[in-house]
Amino acid sequence: MTTEIKTNKKTLQGTVVSDAMDKTVVVEVGRFVKHPKYKKFYTITKKHHAHDEKNHYKIGDVVEITETRPISKKKSFIVIYK
């Protein structure tokens, strides 16, 4: 009998907008939504602080981040290395 562990962690893709902090990057994630009344599409952006252990990523890089336990007050995502 095999046991499978399910994880319901969010995985998001975004662009690095800041790498000034040590082992932390700020990733801007955008999503395309439709207005319920006016039926127009628009972009909502949100910035997430993510843990980058190797200080590998720089401004402009497209990265994938996943949800994890809180690492600090603002960091609750980590960068997925490929």
Side-chain angles (χ1 to χ4, degrees):
M1 181 171 200
T2 60
T3 307
E4 212 173 289
I5 300 171
K6 285 192 173 185
T7 58
N8 296 333
K9 296 181 179 182
K10 291 182 197 173
T11 302
L12 305 170
Q13 187 175 8
T15 307
V16 176
V17 293
S18 174
D19 63 347
M21 297 168 274
D22 186 33
K23 296 186 179 182
T24 304
V25 291
V26 179
V27 180
E28 187 175 62
V29 177
R31 54 190 189 100
F32 208 52
V33 295
K34 187 177 187 179
H35 193 279
K37 181 178 179 182
Y38 299 112
K39 311 300 186 217
K40 286 280 205 169
F41 287 95
Y42 60 99
T43 305
I44 296 176
T45 58
K46 186 166 183 179
K47 292 181 182 177
H48 298 282
H49 286 71
H51 187 68
D52 179 17
E53 183 67 36
K54 301 175 187 172
N55 283 327
H56 179 71
Y57 293 105
K58 303 297 175 199
I59 295 174
D61 292 344
V62 176
V63 295
E64 196 168 322
I65 59 175
T66 187
E67 197 174 29
T68 184
R69 64 176 178 78
I71 297 169
S72 67
K73 180 180 176 181
K74 293 184 178 181
K75 281 199 293 186
S76 58
F77 285 89
I78 57 172
V79 177
I80 299 173
Y81 292 101
K82 294 181 181 176

